[in-house]
Amino acid sequence: MTKETEFWQKVMELAKTAMTETTYDFYIIGSQCLSIEGNQVHIYLDHPSKKMFWDRNLRDIILTAGFEVLDKELTPLYSFELENQIAEPTLSPTAYQVRKKVYPSAPTNLISKYRFDNFIIGEGNRFTTMAALTVPDDPGKGYNPLFIWGGPGLGKTHLVHAIGNAVLEQHPTARVLYLTAENFLNQFVSSIVSNSMDKLKENFRNLDVLIIDDVQFLAKEKYDSTLEEFFNTFEALYNNDKHIILTSDRMPKELNDFPERLVTRFSWGLITDITPPDFETRIAILREKIQEYPQLEFPQTAIEYLANQFSSNVRDLEGALKNISLLAKGKEVSTVSIEIVAEAIRSRTPDSPKMTVIPIERIQEKVGKFYGVTVKEMKATKRTQNIALARQIAMYLTRDLTDNSLPKIGKEFGGRDHSTVLHAINKIKDMLATDDNLRLEIEEIKQKIR
Ligand code: ADP
Ligand code: MG
């Protein structure tokens, strides 16, 4: 049995128990596991509209099955066409079809909704956006590497996906790959484990455009060999006129753990930053984003009120919109009043940026103190109710505030299994949905951790 088959059987088994038969028949039957490469599982769905359901409901199942069968944290990638349908001979195959044939399932990881045409240009991002727009004209030339840095939620990820999507529109045969620094790291680590480093390197070298998001995480633990490989990949691509696009939460010279020669190379192209949007830009962004809520009417006063509340993070602004729509739905109103905006802002838990810099020990300590549990107890096996709950909350917060993997979190909590961690996180999430007190407590603890 291939690892794909085994993995897929597990997914099906878990899915069956997690939903009604009708739901299972509609959403799950007809899907296929195309391949597992590194930490990515490529899944075929017979209709694009099913992706949202999978995103919401199959994530944990895929994680669990990935761990149980392959012992790794798999990220799903969905496609909606089967290989043999694409490869059907036509009279004059376009370059695009040829590419699909040659590289059957080369995933780009690009998110299609992040485009230039829905990225609002304002003072804080004007120069960077202009630089980004030049890449698709002549990939490999111009600003190469393009290094974009700036605070969380300011559109770095959106912008680099937009570049990738535009490159493919203008050069359908180009090979573009988007990776978070974490994906990049995982791919290297797993290729070392499976002894397939050469194949991975070749994959990278065949690219035309490589995008690595949040490079600051490459140095998060002592992955010296990964940085070394990153350097080699960088050199190989650069010397072959391939485009490299990087984002970071800080400027290159503040990437302390990076070798000097790497930092130097970052400045061979263009280093450019994004700063928070001004009021006018925030209004424009809101006007763009409210299109996702056609059922709601937003008076100008409400938009301005909202734009005034968030000045330095567009993601927070979007989160507030989501809350507003939920609240409006609950109240069965279609016009968003200032009162609703205010209430939505009050009730929301800010989804703050993940910060790997927060040590797990600090989270354990703060949660422990709040509930009268010691760090030692948190790591021990004892299961009295209040210790268990504190432990679960600490695990939840660790996942929420840092980007430690499930196994790593398990390890830091007395060598527990990843599935125990996943269970804890889901349990707290469920509780948070109904328990206002808990939500307040967790907010309070979060303040203490930061
Ligand atoms: P970053 O990677 O810098 O943390 P993201 O690219 O993830 O930020 O942006 C967070 C959210 O804000 C995304 O949903 C993105 O679409 C939106 N966003 C940020 N800046 C803009 C902008 N100028 N126009 C439209 N949407 C934006
Ligand atoms: Mg980002």
Side-chain angles (χ1 to χ4, degrees):
M1 200 183 334
T2 64
K3 60 179 183 200
E4 276 87 359
T5 318
E6 203 182 331
F7 164 75
W8 203 238
Q9 279 181 0
K10 190 80 208 175
V11 171
M12 295 297 116
E13 186 191 311
L14 293 171
K16 220 172 233 163
T17 59
M19 56 194 75
T20 67
E21 205 177 321
T22 333
T23 311
Y24 180 87
D25 286 347
F26 179 76
Y27 282 105
I28 311 296
I29 302 274
S31 60
Q32 292 180 24
C33 174
L34 299 176
S35 65
I36 297 175
E37 280 165 34
N39 281 58
Q40 272 161 354
V41 50
H42 202 175
I43 294 169
Y44 163 80
L45 302 180
D46 58 9
H47 199 274
S49 63
K50 294 185 179 172
K51 177 172 178 297
M52 198 186 271
F53 180 85
W54 277 69
D55 274 340
R56 270 202 212 131
N57 301 289
L58 273 294
R59 249 193 105 84
D60 287 352
I61 290 178
I62 289 168
L63 270 180
T64 306
F67 275 115
E68 288 193 11
V69 178
L70 303 158
D71 203 35
K72 50 184 173 182
E73 190 163 352
L74 289 179
T75 320
L77 251 175
Y78 299 106
S79 67
F80 313 105
E81 276 171 316
L82 277 176
E83 191 41 39
N84 53 11
Q85 292 170 355
I86 304 162
E88 220 122 60
T90 55
L91 281 177
S92 58
T94 61
Y96 182 62
Q97 284 164 323
V98 171
R99 180 172 78 98
K100 286 260 173 167
K101 259 189 202 169
V102 179
Y103 308 110
S105 59
T108 63
N109 300 346
L110 289 172
I111 300 173
S112 54
K113 74 167 183 183
Y114 287 148
R115 300 183 314 272
F116 280 119
D117 64 20
N118 58 9
F119 190 75
I120 305 296
I121 301 179
E123 239 5 275
N125 63 31
R126 185 184 309 275
F127 182 76
T128 300
T129 311
M130 292 304 154
L133 276 163
T134 65
V135 176
D137 290 339
D138 205 357
K141 302 276 166 13
Y143 301 126
N144 188 22
L146 177 61
F147 189 106
I148 300 174
W149 67 277
L154 296 183
K156 300 182 296 296
T157 297
H158 186 137
L159 210 46
V160 295
H161 279 282
I163 297 176
N165 288 319
V167 167
L168 284 180
E169 253 167 54
Q170 294 182 35
H171 311 273
T173 57
R175 305 205 54 208
V176 180
L177 181 63
Y178 166 93
L179 292 175
T180 62
E182 193 147 56
N183 296 152
F184 182 86
L185 236 146
N186 289 340
Q187 293 208 354
F188 269 106
V189 173
S190 57
S191 79
I192 291 168
V193 173
S194 64
N195 220 344
S196 53
M197 186 64 116
D198 290 342
K199 194 170 157 238
L200 183 71
K201 279 185 183 167
E202 188 172 318
N203 262 342
F204 279 127
R205 281 163 204 190
N206 281 331
L207 295 172
D208 297 299
V209 178
L210 174 64
I211 302 167
I212 300 192
D213 205 358
D214 288 320
V215 285
Q216 76 273 4
F217 290 133
L218 283 182
K220 76 175 178 188
E221 282 170 46
K222 278 285 151 232
Y223 286 117
D224 292 344
S225 61
T226 320
L227 275 174
E228 185 64 31
E229 279 313 328
F230 176 61
F231 181 79
N232 293 336
T233 307
F234 187 101
E235 288 272 291
L237 290 171
Y238 184 85
N239 290 332
N240 288 297
D241 280 345
K242 307 305 178 73
H243 220 114
I244 302 158
I245 298 161
L246 307 163
T247 77
S248 162
D249 68 349
R250 62 204 82 170
M251 59 170 77
K253 69 168 199 258
E254 284 172 5
L255 290 166
N256 291 330
D257 297 325
F258 279 56
E260 190 55 40
R261 53 189 182 140
L262 195 49
V263 173
T264 310
R265 274 158 182 71
F266 290 161
S267 57
W268 284 353
L270 179 73
I271 296 170
T272 173
D273 68 336
I274 301 184
T275 55
D278 55 21
F279 181 66
E280 220 171 79
T281 311
R282 298 202 296 277
I283 299 271
I285 293 174
L286 276 173
R287 291 230 163 271
E288 169 69 38
K289 302 287 175 189
I290 59 177
Q291 290 177 26
E292 286 166 34
Y293 305 94
Q295 73 283 13
L296 290 179
E297 198 186 314
F298 286 82
Q300 181 67 11
T301 47
I303 291 186
E304 287 180 5
Y305 183 84
L306 183 55
N308 259 323
Q309 307 298 313
F310 296 93
S311 56
S312 61
N313 187 328
V314 180
R315 194 177 292 118
D316 287 351
L317 204 57
E318 281 181 352
L321 266 186
K322 219 168 270 165
N323 262 26
I324 289 170
S325 94
L326 284 177
L327 212 56
K329 194 169 172 203
K331 292 183 189 293
E332 296 182 353
V333 295
S334 59
T335 304
V336 176
S337 62
I338 291 192
E339 286 71 30
I340 290 184
V341 177
E343 194 179 333
I345 293 171
R346 264 202 310 277
S347 68
R348 72 186 292 270
T349 29
D351 41 345
S352 46
K354 308 239 173 193
M355 287 177 282
T356 20
V357 285
I358 301 181
I360 297 181
E361 178 104 350
R362 181 178 169 80
I363 297 174
Q364 293 169 330
E365 187 196 308
K366 297 292 175 191
V367 175
K369 202 162 169 206
F370 196 91
Y371 294 106
V373 173
T374 65
V375 173
K376 209 167 156 198
E377 283 171 322
M378 216 151 299
K379 295 185 177 189
T381 44
K382 212 163 161 195
R383 282 184 193 225
T384 64
Q385 215 181 355
N386 76 326
I387 297 179
L389 183 67
R391 190 183 291 136
Q392 287 169 332
I393 290 175
M395 287 179 177
Y396 166 83
L397 280 171
T398 306
R399 184 68 170 178
D400 192 33
L401 297 172
T402 75
D403 30 11
N404 285 293
S405 66
L406 298 174
K408 167 91 167 127
I409 297 174
K411 196 168 146 243
E412 296 293 323
F413 283 82
R416 289 182 156 75
D417 194 66
H418 67 85
S419 58
T420 311
V421 181
L422 193 60
H423 172 76
I425 293 168
N426 286 335
K427 183 180 154 194
I428 301 300
K429 270 190 200 159
D430 286 347
M431 288 171 73
L432 281 174
T434 52
D435 188 338
D436 288 337
N437 267 339
L438 182 66
R439 197 159 43 218
L440 290 175
E441 285 176 13
I442 288 189
E443 264 318 297
E444 203 175 322
I445 299 170
K446 270 193 189 174
Q447 301 299 334
K448 292 196 161 91
I449 292 171
R450 289 207 185 106

